[in-house]
Amino acid sequence: GTYRNQLKTNFRSGQAVTNYAQIATRRGSTSFSTSFSRDTDRGILPLLDGFKRQNLRLNLDQGLGDKADMSANLTYGLSTSDQTPNTQAGSGSTFFTLLQSPPDVDLVYPNGPGTTKYSPAIPADAAGGTSRGNPLYDLANRAYNDRRQRIIGSFSARYRPWNWLSVDGSYGTDRLDQR
């Protein structure tokens, strides 16, 4: 049979892209800024979409005469990932299982052309044994979807009645929704 390097055969080139845009302005005693960023990292594992994140941020600063000012900030973030829980290094990871896969088995069609694609069963006569099964089976058939939404907001105000006295107040919130 054909011997193959399972890592080289089944990994793909990783690709990461970051996009960022910002608009900011200042008019008199008011400053406003908004920004948007988008990050994608598809990773090197086949059959997965990888990690995606989008952030939107709004900032407003307002002077209220010579003695007072206020600021408000709001950030919304959304991230999704379909990376398997055990993609980290270790003996149970997809990386280690691919490394230990028999070199004479095509993991896409392990039982030969025309058979079940990504079959969990590897032929019994495969070089090096079949105790680990097909690592591509989990990637093709299980859904690992992590979705996180986060909202971070803050408001602050400052009043300076005299040069030696300042009264400050602030409020912030951080909410995380993870599924």
Side-chain angles (χ1 to χ4, degrees):
T2 302
Y3 283 83
R4 59 190 54 80
N5 177 334
Q6 296 291 13
L7 297 180
K8 188 180 246 184
T9 301
N10 292 292
F11 284 169
R12 61 184 180 193
S13 297
Q15 181 181 13
V17 176
T18 298
N19 305 102
Y20 179 80
Q22 179 180 19
I23 298 172
T25 186
R26 180 170 178 93
R27 301 258 168 130
S29 60
T30 304
S31 295
F32 174 76
S33 173
T34 185
S35 63
F36 176 78
S37 65
R38 180 177 177 267
D39 301 300
T40 59
D41 184 351
R42 74 177 194 162
I44 62 172
L45 290 175
L47 308 170
L48 300 178
D49 292 329
F51 175 78
K52 297 175 183 169
R53 177 178 52 217
Q54 297 178 346
N55 289 322
L56 177 65
R57 182 173 171 98
L58 304 168
N59 295 331
L60 176 66
D61 297 311
Q62 177 67 54
L64 304 170
D66 293 342
K67 298 188 179 226
D69 57 73
M70 60 173 245
S71 296
N73 302 298
L74 180 66
T75 301
Y76 172 76
L78 172 64
S79 66
T80 58
S81 175
D82 66 353
Q83 298 297 307
T84 63
N86 55 358
T87 54
Q88 294 81 25
S91 63
S93 74
T94 303
F95 297 106
F96 189 77
T97 307
L98 270 171
L99 179 66
Q100 297 296 315
S101 294
D104 60 336
V105 174
D106 175 4
L107 295 176
V108 176
Y109 293 103
N111 297 301
T115 61
T116 304
K117 195 172 188 179
Y118 307 119
S119 170
I122 290 180
D125 62 348
T130 62
S131 63
R132 293 192 181 273
N134 188 346
L136 298 185
Y137 175 80
D138 278 348
L139 298 180
N141 293 293
R142 293 197 181 164
Y144 301 101
N145 295 313
D146 181 29
R147 177 183 165 94
R148 296 174 54 139
Q149 292 185 92
R150 190 169 189 182
I151 297 175
I152 303 170
S154 67
F155 176 80
S156 64
R158 181 172 34 198
Y159 176 61
R160 297 172 299 283
W162 299 284
N163 289 341
W164 54 271
L165 179 64
S166 176
V167 178
D168 294 65
S170 62
Y171 174 77
T173 186
D174 186 348
R175 179 184 169 103
L176 174 65
D177 179 21
Q178 184 171 340
R179 295 182 245 151

